[in-house]
Structures are given as C-alpha cells and as structure tokens.
Amino acid sequence: MALQLLSNSETAFAFPTGTALLLTKTLLINMFIIGGRIMPHMTVEFSDGLSTESLRLLCRTIYEVLAASDDFPTAGIRVRVHKADIAFVGDGLPENDFVALTLSVGAGRTRDVLHAAGSQIFAAAQEALADRLAEPYFSLSLEIRQIDPDLSWKDTPIHARFSPKKD
C-alpha cells in the first residue's frame, strides 16, 4: 500500500488494485495514531438538588480517571454536564435526586477494557458523591455506549495537537 501526502490536510492511499482512498488528516490521526479508538465522552445528567461544588468534584474526578488510562486518548476526553430541569425520580418525591453517567466510546476496545474502565469510573464517582449516596433520596448510574464508527461523523482538529510531530 503506497501512501502519498497530497496536502497538509489530505492523504491518499493507493491500493494494489489501483484504487485510491482520500482521507483527511483528522481521520488518519483517528485511524492510525490512536488506533481508531477515539473518544471517551462522558455525559453527566443530574437533577436540581446537586451542588455546583459536588458536580465540579465529580467531573474533575471522572476526567482524571479517563486521563490516567492508557485506553483513552487525552485529545478525545470530554466531560459534559446537563441539568434535567424537570425530573421525576423513583416515587416522585421532590427530594429525590440523581446523577446518570453515560460514557460514549469509539469502537475497538474489548469488553474487559470497557468493564475495567467502567468499574474505575463508577468507584471514583461513588467516592466523589459519597455524601449523597449516604442519603435515601439519591441514585447514581453509569452506562457505557460503544459507537458504531460507520454511523458516527466527526471533525476534530484538536487531535492534531496530540499527535506525534514528525521531522
């Protein structure tokens, strides 16, 4: 397979059959430098009763777990927080609160890797929210979703900052 750099942002691969595949620099980084295993994007959804301080601690804790892992590229880490303005939790009591964590990851990691990462993240979240988990009106959950690369589009130049520089 021959590789030809067309410009600073495009590369062509020539296959033995004579066909060529044009790829952007970002896609190349995703495919080869970080093995196509892009992301982890953590979405933190929460109800009204959580303090800003506890949410900051939770998000920082999750970020640190993801950043410390060799299984997730730093350039792909996102921790986003969304408040549920209206939520009915459990039996509908107004003092019921929740945090629902959803980790979206690109394809390519084994189930064991994802399970280990989920266990680390969940344990860290439990520690960060220990005061709330000691109450009978709180719920914490984590789900990991693996994204089908054929059904996911991205344009993420931030990855270029994290790729190795070639002289």
Side-chain angles (χ1 to χ4, degrees):
M1 172 170 52
L3 175 70
Q4 177 186 4
L5 193 60
L6 300 179
S7 72
N8 197 22
S9 63
E10 296 177 332
T11 302
F13 285 87
F15 294 93
T17 60
T19 60
L21 177 62
L22 184 65
L23 299 173
T24 67
K25 185 175 180 181
T26 301
L27 185 56
L28 281 171
I29 291 167
N30 289 346
M31 289 174 56
F32 297 104
I33 295 173
I34 58 175
R37 298 179 308 161
I38 55 177
M39 310 179 78
H41 291 194
M42 175 64 75
T43 302
V44 179
E45 183 184 5
F46 70 98
S47 57
D48 192 36
L50 276 92
S51 70
T52 301
E53 296 80 30
S54 64
L55 288 166
R56 283 184 202 273
L57 173 63
L58 174 64
C59 291
R60 172 53 68 185
T61 300
I62 292 169
Y63 175 84
E64 288 172 356
V65 170
L66 292 170
S69 172
D70 292 334
D71 297 308
F72 300 110
T74 304
I77 296 173
R78 313 281 189 277
V79 179
R80 298 184 290 255
V81 181
H82 303 282
K83 179 181 170 191
D85 291 324
I86 300 171
F88 294 90
V89 180
D91 55 3
L93 293 175
E95 58 267 37
N96 290 347
D97 284 312
F98 75 93
V99 169
L101 306 172
T102 304
L103 181 65
S104 299
V105 298
R109 295 171 189 88
T110 66
R111 184 177 181 87
D112 289 342
V113 165
L114 293 176
H115 187 273
S119 294
Q120 285 183 308
I121 292 165
F122 197 72
Q126 287 175 306
E127 186 175 323
L129 296 169
D131 59 332
R132 295 306 310 267
L133 286 165
E135 302 170 4
Y137 300 100
F138 188 71
S139 173
L140 172 65
S141 64
L142 168 63
E143 177 183 3
I144 298 177
R145 296 179 183 169
Q146 196 168 45
I147 296 172
D148 182 334
D150 293 333
L151 301 174
S152 178
W153 294 261
K154 293 168 189 61
D155 187 358
T156 55
I158 193 171
H159 287 284
R161 289 190 9 239
F162 291 88
S163 64
K165 305 258 191 250
K166 295 186 180 182
D167 296 325

